[in-house]
Amino acid sequence: MSISVVWRSIELPVSPADEWIEFEHESGRRLRRPTFRDGDARKVRFAASDPGRWTWTGGELDIAPAPTDELNPFYRHGFWRMSPGGRSLVYADGTPAILVADTAWALPWRATPDQVREYAADRQAKGFNAVLLMTVQPDMRAVGPRDRTQDEGFDVGFEDLADGHLLKPNDEYFRYLDELLGILVEHGLVPVLQPVFQGFGWKGLDVAGTVVPPTEYGDYCRYLVARYGAQPAIYLVGGDGTGAEPQVAAGGAEVHAVDCYGQPTGIHYRPHIHAHAHQDADWLDFQWCQTGHTGEHVQARVADMWRNEPVRAVANGEPTYENTGRTGVAAGWWQGHEAWSNLCAGGTMGVVYGAGSLWQWRLHPDEPGHSDYFVAPGAGWREAVDFEGSTYVGLLGQILAGLPTTDMTPDWTRVISGRALSGPGGMLIVYREHGGMVPVFDDTVPLDYRIVDPRDGSVVATGRRDTPADPLPDPGGAPRVYICL
């Protein structure tokens, strides 16, 4: 009998002929996992959702509950899934969750384990809980040494990707990726797995995501679920395209068919597109817009997606990268204001941050071969990790931690404020860029309040209004978040 702990991935050898393995809990609950090839072996990875005895064709598993002092929320509460109303994330046990994601697209083929440990420790400390990743270098015409430590070097996931195919996986690449993703997960960071990009890619050199046959794309999505789906994951089957590419639908359908944990699946759109492809597809859980790279706040795009039907979760998956192209673009508090504004506009799945030179995983400040339009001047990935704006985005998740954020809705009816959210039990969250008094015009707004400075997370005031007609008090002059609960 094998022994493990609930929600921890374990790897088991299986017969070469086995494409599926079914695991059955003593309660009768069943989880069916796809297998995958790793070199000459075939394997299955499984994470038990419940403690107790599980059986499968290879024997029995004795699964212990999570330790009472478990700090990793994904081992304590389970993997993410969509909320009952489809607007936000919850853990498997129903605990509310807000996505706070970073954008390190090129990490899988450029970073080393030591670098990822340093990066993950920083992001975990700041409050991030997810990272957007291109699982393979997607540009068909990109060239460079197959060495993560050399200028313009990168590792290769598929030997035939340059020819527009995904038939020759590099087993060593994915074993290396196992380690990198494992480091992220151990730091409480969910890998957001994009199979093969449909948009700009790494250097804009003809991405394979619009060229590979949809069947091969779907098969790769199945492989990602099999290899990495027994740990926290989000599947971003469309990346930086229109969403209408045939590869996207093939990938989404495949993930939906083989993922027994119901982890979120969605599309990340390019800036100049109406984000509504596959709106009624049963595999679609979320849609992420992208507001470009010029340092403008465009919350209207988030609000547009919020109104799409059937309901899907919404986020701005790619605001302007901090310091992209020139120092000062979208820098500092710009990122905090952007995050809170997107959240209140309807992006209640969460918020996403990005930094120039970090998303490319530029090895050092002088590494050649990257577009000046996208890199942060004078910065490699390590310098970009320390850009000021990341602190403010990470704080959003820390400020909202423990609140009933499930299926919050934009609300401009109960108070006079341009940015506000309502939640369960009458909860009201208001964001004001310059603070100040907030007039209240609804008896359902709770009397108790606290006021937070979103630049450092400090509580600057708490109190209880005497009557439902009393305003929320603040002298103004600085960003404020008002929480009534």
Side-chain angles (χ1 to χ4, degrees):
M1 177 180 289
S2 299
I3 299 175
S4 187
V5 180
V6 68
W7 295 114
R8 295 270 185 170
S9 179
I10 56 175
E11 183 178 281
L12 303 164
V14 299
S15 165
D18 288 333
E19 295 187 1
W20 294 93
I21 297 295
E22 187 167 88
F23 296 85
E24 183 172 356
H25 187 249
E26 58 191 64
S27 67
R29 182 179 186 186
R30 296 178 180 180
L31 293 174
R32 190 171 184 241
R33 289 284 295 144
T35 66
F36 65 96
R37 185 188 63 80
D38 185 14
D40 295 330
R42 184 161 285 275
K43 301 174 180 178
V44 67
R45 290 176 177 171
F46 173 68
S49 58
D50 301 279
R53 183 174 60 88
W54 291 77
T55 57
W56 64 295
T57 54
E60 295 184 358
L61 305 173
D62 185 16
I63 305 297
T68 57
D69 60 351
E70 176 60 67
L71 297 179
N72 191 310
F74 300 100
Y75 300 147
R76 188 168 70 251
H77 300 296
F79 302 160
W80 278 341
R81 60 184 59 173
M82 300 313 300
S83 61
R87 291 292 195 185
S88 62
L89 297 170
V90 294
Y91 293 93
D93 66 0
T95 300
I98 293 284
L99 173 90
V100 184
D102 193 19
T103 312
W105 291 116
L107 178 154
W109 68 86
R110 298 220 84 196
T112 66
D114 285 344
Q115 291 171 348
V116 175
R117 288 187 189 94
E118 185 175 3
Y119 165 80
D122 178 275
R123 283 343 195 205
Q124 181 185 39
K126 287 177 177 172
F128 287 84
N129 55 24
V131 186
L132 277 61
L133 305 169
M134 300 182 200
T135 58
V136 293
Q137 195 289 111
D139 290 357
M140 291 187 289
R141 292 191 294 112
V143 295
R146 194 174 292 197
D147 186 336
R148 296 166 182 263
T149 66
Q150 290 190 39
D151 283 4
E152 300 193 65
F154 60 94
D155 206 349
V156 174
F158 287 89
E159 302 294 346
D160 55 351
L161 184 142
D163 300 320
H165 287 283
L166 304 174
L167 299 174
K168 299 179 180 179
N170 178 350
D171 292 327
E172 287 303 317
Y173 175 88
F174 288 101
R175 290 171 190 147
Y176 201 100
L177 187 57
D178 287 346
E179 182 176 3
L180 301 187
L181 299 191
I183 294 167
L184 295 176
V185 170
E186 288 302 316
H187 285 81
L189 300 169
V190 176
V192 180
L193 302 173
Q194 207 296 311
V196 187
F197 225 50
Q198 281 85 33
F200 179 81
W202 185 33
K203 296 185 176 182
L205 299 173
D206 295 338
V207 290
T210 59
V211 175
V212 297
T215 53
E216 294 178 21
Y217 194 89
D219 288 345
Y220 180 43
C221 288
R222 178 192 176 102
Y223 176 83
L224 290 174
V225 174
R227 186 156 196 144
Y228 302 113
Q231 62 186 27
I234 287 178
Y235 303 104
L236 197 62
V237 294
D240 198 32
T242 68
E245 297 85 1
Q247 294 83 2
V248 173
E254 191 66 25
V255 171
H256 184 75
V258 301
D259 174 28
C260 63
Y261 299 108
Q263 300 200 77
T265 305
I267 301 174
H268 167 73
Y269 294 94
R270 63 175 57 140
H272 47 290
I273 200 71
H274 186 56
H276 67 139
H278 308 294
Q279 189 75 31
D280 60 352
D282 58 0
W283 55 262
L284 185 70
D285 295 316
F286 66 85
Q287 305 206 72
W288 291 354
C289 66
Q290 179 187 160
T291 49
H293 307 286
T294 56
E296 295 176 313
H297 300 292
V298 195
Q299 278 70 50
R301 293 183 183 171
V302 177
D304 279 348
M305 288 196 300
W306 172 270
R307 289 187 286 267
N308 288 344
E309 291 184 348
V311 166
R312 303 297 181 215
V314 171
N316 183 355
E318 201 170 347
T320 300
Y321 293 103
E322 187 166 13
N323 293 317
T324 188
R326 61 180 175 83
T327 302
V329 172
W333 174 244
W334 187 101
Q335 295 288 340
H337 175 69
E338 172 78 357
W340 284 101
S341 299
N342 282 319
L343 185 79
C344 292
T348 52
M349 184 175 182
V351 296
V352 180
Y353 166 81
S357 293
L358 176 61
W359 74 262
Q360 304 98 326
W361 210 265
R362 192 184 191 192
L363 297 188
H364 56 82
D366 298 314
E367 186 190 17
H370 299 281
S371 168
D372 290 341
Y373 182 78
F374 286 118
V375 296
W381 75 269
R382 186 60 192 84
E383 290 79 15
V385 165
D386 292 332
F387 287 168
E388 179 186 354
S390 63
T391 298
Y392 304 128
V393 179
L395 276 169
L396 181 146
Q398 298 183 52
I399 291 168
L400 297 181
L403 297 179
T405 54
T406 301
D407 289 325
M408 295 187 298
T409 61
D411 186 350
W412 298 275
T413 64
R414 296 197 289 162
V415 297
I416 294 182
S417 178
R419 298 176 175 89
L421 292 162
S422 284
M427 180 184 70
L428 182 72
I429 297 172
V430 178
Y431 166 66
R432 300 194 76 176
E433 184 178 7
H434 303 293
M437 180 187 69
V438 179
V440 179
F441 292 97
D442 195 299
D443 291 351
T444 65
V445 176
L447 297 176
D448 291 321
Y449 65 85
R450 69 176 179 268
I451 303 175
V452 180
D453 186 335
R455 298 169 301 177
D456 59 15
S458 62
V459 177
V460 298
T462 60
R464 179 179 175 86
R465 294 179 297 127
D466 292 331
T467 73
D470 290 336
L472 296 169
D474 183 74
R480 292 289 183 260
V481 172
Y482 311 73
I483 302 171
C484 301
L485 183 64

